[in-house]
Amino acid sequence: MQNRTYAADVTAGESATVAGWVHEIRDLGGIAFLILRDTSGKLQIKLEKDEMDEDLVETGLGVHRESVVSVTGDVKEEPRAPTGFELVPESIEVISEADPELPLDPSGKVDAELPTRLDNRTLDLRKPEVKAIFEIRAEVLRAAREAFRDLNATEITTPKIVATGTEGGTELFPITYFGREAFMNQSPQLFKQLMAGSGLETVFEIGPIFRAEEHNTPRHLNEATSIDFESAFADQHEAMDAAEEIVVAVYEAVAENCEEQLDALGLAETFEVPAGDFPRLSYEEAIERVNATGALDEQLVFGDDLSTEAERALGEDVGTFYFITSWPSEVKPFYIMDEDDDETLSTGFDMMHPRMELVSGGQREHRHEKLVEGFEQQGLDPEQFEYYTKMFKYGMPPHAGWGMGAERLVMTMLGLENIREAVLFPRDRQRLSP
Ligand code: AMO
């Protein structure tokens, strides 16, 4: 729209055309205020019943909340107005009239349940504290991309329609691909490894992953966004260093560039950038520590995965981001390499936020024979993965990497209760539209 000025950018003493939504109409009798809201903020529009053109006042007072209007007039300084400015209108044009029955109140005066919010995201994101989540999410992804560039990583995008799964444990979503069975990809795992063996060496991808998780929890989605990293000639320790760098970099960027958004979320005073040097506990140390907290009814033994309760107990005990390293080989997938001196232990690691797991990774098995053995041990048919294993015969360097859940990163960063709050249009057991 030509000549449009954002509400936050008006200058006293100048004429301006502003456009946005009718946030509120305050009718005080002889005088009334139309509060206009746009992406930058709000602006008070003054309507004086006896002084101004009757039609103009009627239009301003008659328009329903959340209608889209454009208003032209002179901007005046007005200390009593919420932003210190007020616009005295010469014309008001109603561009798109809103139904008086709104499914959700964007002014936030009436709270809405999450399902109602998710059904009406357009209206929901008119609230500053909800819009702030997605502005911060965008900053997280932007900063991650920038930090990957510092790690010399090239951004790749890999297929989401695939012939096989890779992440045992969660189910696949089958689809029909020209009459053949295919699946939605659970992880770019195999593709990113193939690229670590290519001339690119160090790669990253930010893209969707699909998991047919049966359970409905506040931390699982059926379509999530994975931030994936893979690097040739790296071991698990260097991969952990990279994960730590990315997390610190995105927190720093949010602290620096999202002051207004943190404020809208009530986090301006408490937001903390982690210092790095996250403790690295071995799996055995981790289970001993969980057992020592006494939080679990049953003691953990070697080979157990960490339940949600165990993760919570350990997170409270450690109190910062931390890694769990040297997981038992049997709980990690075929592509994770075992430790040199102990085949029962793997190079697999998880990075944890005190609330939950954010990252899984490890050094990869790059020796062809061992890799094929691993497939067989996991009950997978190596022939189906030949496109992948074959490349390990043509010069595959040692490599390591990880996957980080973008929604969990945002959720834990902002203290959101439910992961769905960090997704515009979440996919879960119930939700397929919008
Ligand atoms: P994993 O399956 O542990 O590892 O996933 C990595 C990270 O992705 C996020 N995540 C999810 N977030 C929300 N809902 C889900 N259903 C979901 N599933 C995963 C989590 C998790 O820590 N290929 C390996 C990574 C690697 O080794 O490089 C993998 O996918 O934050």
Side-chain angles (χ1 to χ4, degrees), residues 18-320:
V18 290
W21 291 262
V22 177
H23 183 68
E24 196 184 353
I25 292 166
R26 284 192 211 131
D27 194 343
L28 308 176
I31 193 166
F33 299 109
L34 184 160
I35 310 297
L36 178 134
R37 185 190 68 242
D38 67 18
T39 194
S40 73
K42 295 186 197 119
L43 183 65
Q44 172 169 305
I45 317 283
K46 181 162 77 175
L47 300 166
E48 280 177 304
K49 291 180 193 167
D50 297 333
E51 314 273 315
M52 292 180 181
D53 177 80
E54 220 174 284
D55 286 349
L56 180 95
V57 173
E58 213 170 279
T59 307
L61 286 179
V63 65
H64 295 134
R65 282 171 51 217
E66 297 307 314
S67 298
V68 177
V69 297
S70 142
V71 185
T72 302
D74 286 331
V75 179
K76 302 239 153 59
E77 241 170 275
E78 174 48 71
R80 285 166 297 178
T83 57
F85 296 106
E86 170 177 88
L87 190 140
V88 183
E90 277 150 28
S91 69
I92 299 178
E93 186 195 345
V94 180
I95 296 172
S96 171
E97 179 82 65
D99 195 301
E101 297 287 322
L102 298 172
L104 185 138
D105 173 20
S107 79
K109 283 187 188 133
V110 187
D111 275 341
E113 298 288 337
L114 188 58
T116 308
R117 293 178 42 206
L118 296 175
D119 285 342
N120 298 281
R121 273 303 211 188
T122 307
L123 295 170
D124 192 37
L125 264 85
R126 291 181 193 166
K127 293 187 268 186
E129 70 278 17
V130 182
K131 170 175 162 263
I133 295 173
F134 292 94
E135 287 170 339
I136 290 173
R137 184 185 153 118
E139 178 62 13
V140 163
L141 298 182
R142 189 204 62 74
R145 285 194 163 89
E146 193 177 297
F148 277 125
R149 202 172 52 181
D150 294 341
L151 292 170
N152 227 355
T154 303
E155 180 160 10
I156 57 170
T157 55
T158 63
K160 303 306 156 207
I161 301 175
V162 294
T164 54
T166 55
E167 310 300 317
T170 66
E171 295 297 315
L172 285 157
F173 284 115
I175 58 165
T176 306
Y177 190 70
F178 301 114
R180 282 154 63 191
E181 185 178 54
F183 304 97
M184 302 303 291
N185 205 8
Q186 293 169 305
S187 160
Q189 183 63 37
L190 305 189
F191 297 116
K192 67 177 177 171
Q193 283 191 255
L194 291 176
M195 288 303 100
S198 81
L200 295 174
E201 291 197 19
T202 303
V203 295
F204 77 94
E205 173 162 8
I206 301 179
I209 56 170
F210 303 90
R211 308 270 172 115
E213 317 257 9
E214 290 288 332
H215 41 298
N216 234 340
T217 81
R219 56 165 77 179
H220 286 94
L221 294 161
N222 293 110
E223 178 175 350
T225 308
S226 185
I227 304 174
D228 274 275
F229 174 74
E230 202 67 29
S231 186
F233 303 102
D235 62 15
Q236 76 271 31
H237 307 289
E238 291 163 295
M240 284 189 269
D241 293 344
E244 198 171 282
E245 264 179 57
I246 297 295
V247 167
V248 172
V250 302
Y251 268 79
E252 274 172 353
V254 169
E256 199 170 310
N257 303 323
C258 299
E259 230 171 288
E260 192 188 308
Q261 288 80 2
L262 289 171
D263 196 38
L265 286 158
L267 297 173
E269 303 297 318
T270 52
F271 190 78
E272 264 182 55
V273 178
D277 280 331
F278 304 158
R280 298 180 184 187
L281 311 181
S282 71
Y283 167 82
E284 285 186 74
E285 286 168 334
I287 59 172
E288 271 170 32
R289 226 163 136 163
V290 174
N291 288 339
T293 64
L296 302 189
D297 294 338
E298 257 184 65
Q299 297 269 294
L300 292 174
V301 294
F302 186 87
D304 285 346
D305 221 329
L306 297 195
S307 61
T308 311
E309 292 73 43
E311 273 182 18
R312 191 178 306 132
L314 188 55
E316 273 174 24
D317 197 32
V318 180
T320 61

